Amino acid sequence: APAVKNFTLNFTITNLQFNEDLQNPNSRRFKSTEKVMYHYIDPLLQKSSIGPHFTGCKVTGFRSGRSRDDTKVDAVCSYKNNASLASFDREKLYQELSSMTNNVTKLGHYSLDRSSLHVDG
């Protein structure tokens, strides 16, 4: 069976005000924001080069950004590593996500910090 591999995905939303509730995984605000993240992130990864192997993401947390309106999003995403996936190319995935988010500026109705996208294999 193919091994499941993880990579981290981090980005900053510049129009989502951070508050204490976002630090609590049991709060309604955390849960609803987490759902919205899946709604936006999963389809992008399904359309990417790892799409056929993509198995999902888990939001690991929200953190306060540089200003009151910035919220940093941390997620761990998984894919099945098998022979038909040449190798996980984080540079290529970064480029794909960058172009799918309008040069790292838009994720659905959210605005992104252009320098905040990180894909770490």
Side-chain angles (χ1 to χ4, degrees), residues 69-102:
D69 293 328
D70 291 4
T71 297
K72 294 176 183 278
V73 180
D74 300 319
V76 174
C77 302
S78 309
Y79 63 95
K80 287 193 180 88
N81 193 16
N82 64 20
S84 65
L85 180 66
S87 71
F88 178 76
D89 183 343
R90 67 188 191 93
E91 285 295 311
K92 181 177 181 187
L93 186 58
Y94 174 89
Q95 291 303 331
E96 292 170 340
L97 291 175
S98 176
S99 69
M100 287 189 264
T101 55
N102 197 23

Side-chain angles (χ1 to χ4, degrees), residues 5-97:
K5 300 272 202 176
N6 294 331
F7 63 94
T8 56
L9 188 62
N10 313 89
F11 54 91
T12 301
I13 296 172
T14 58
N15 61 343
L16 173 63
Q17 198 161 14
F18 182 81
N19 70 13
E20 295 302 306
D21 286 350
L22 283 174
Q23 285 180 305
N24 174 3
N26 300 315
S27 76
R28 280 213 316 263
R29 179 128 194 254
F30 182 102
K31 288 181 188 314
S32 67
T33 306
E34 179 185 41
K35 266 198 192 103
V36 173
M37 289 304 113
Y38 296 142
H39 173 77
Y40 288 132
I41 298 169
D42 285 5
L44 291 184
L45 288 165
Q46 285 161 354
K47 281 186 259 183
S48 76
S49 56
I50 66 162
H53 312 284
F54 174 67
T55 57
C57 289
K58 172 94 182 92
V59 170
T60 55
F62 297 106
R63 295 177 289 134
S64 174
R66 280 194 299 267
S67 81
R68 262 175 0 126
D69 293 328
D70 291 4
T71 297
K72 294 176 183 278
V73 180
D74 300 319
V76 174
C77 302
S78 309
Y79 63 95
K80 287 193 180 88
N81 193 16
N82 64 20
S84 65
L85 180 66
S87 71
F88 178 76
D89 183 343
R90 67 188 191 93
E91 285 295 311
K92 181 177 181 187
L93 186 58
Y94 174 89
Q95 291 303 331
E96 292 170 340
L97 291 175

